Every structure is written in structure tokens, then in C-alpha cells.
Amino acid sequence: MNTTATLEKLNSMRLHGFEQAYRNILDSALQEKFTPDEIIAHLVDAEYDDKYNRKLSRLIKTAGFKQQVSIEQIDYHQPRNLDKNVILRLQNCDWIIKGRDLLISGSTGTGNVKQMIM
């Protein structure tokens, strides 16, 4: 088996996640520790994750957000009066899965959660 040709084919088919995971398996000799179906599952998962992340990046880029922020960048110090525990509970999106409502009120940009029905 010619691994260089295989890697080139994966690259030409734009299976970048699959290719990178395959390179990692070859470099670390992990193929000996896993069954063939576990290796295939790992490679498919890597490709799926890569495609999902690329799509998400593209959507975020085309959305044209003025600022790129994340939950980790929230400032919980006074005078914002943000409860870190409430924000972390909101982050896991259980309130969406349960079909609950969320009411956020206050001046734009303050992020004060006045009422939460979970």
C-alpha cells in the first residue's frame, strides 16, 4: 500500500479531516491498538468534525459580526451584576431542549438576565 498516494488522493478529494487523522494514525502507530472498524470510525469522525468546523467558520465569517466573542470572555465583575452560574447553565442550552423561555432585558450590551424561566 502506497500511503503517499492515498494521502494525495484524500487531499484531492478535499477530505482534509480524514487525511490529517490518517497522518496522525500513521505517525503514532495507533493502528495496532485499534480494530479496523474503530480506525474507520475515528477517520469518519475526524472528517465530519472538520467539515462541521469549516462550515461553522464560514457561517460566522459571512454573518459579519462586528465583534468575535465567546462565553469565556464575559466580564462578571461589578457593575454588570452577571451571575456566572446562570450564564454557564444557559451555555449548555438545556432550556432550549426542554422548550423553556428565556427573557433577557436591560440596555443593549449590558447582558443583564432579569428573568429566567428554566
Side-chain angles (χ1 to χ4, degrees), residues 26-94:
L26 291 174
D27 291 343
S28 63
L30 287 176
Q31 70 268 24
E32 297 171 7
K33 295 182 181 179
F34 297 108
T35 63
D37 52 329
E38 289 175 329
I39 291 174
I40 291 171
H42 173 70
L43 295 172
V44 170
D45 285 345
E47 181 60 27
Y48 179 86
D49 291 343
D50 183 64
K51 288 201 181 296
Y52 177 82
N53 290 334
R54 287 175 187 264
K55 178 182 177 181
L56 186 60
S57 296
R58 180 181 46 82
L59 291 173
I60 289 172
K61 184 178 178 182
T62 57
F65 294 125
K66 293 180 182 178
Q67 297 178 353
Q68 297 290 324
V69 295
S70 66
I71 295 285
E72 293 80 19
Q73 296 172 323
I74 294 177
D75 179 15
Y76 296 100
H77 297 96
Q78 295 291 341
R80 295 190 73 192
N81 294 325
L82 293 177
D83 184 353
K84 188 173 185 176
N85 292 325
V86 171
I87 302 298
L88 292 175
R89 282 192 297 157
L90 292 173
Q91 178 186 6
N92 68 18
C93 297
D94 280 345

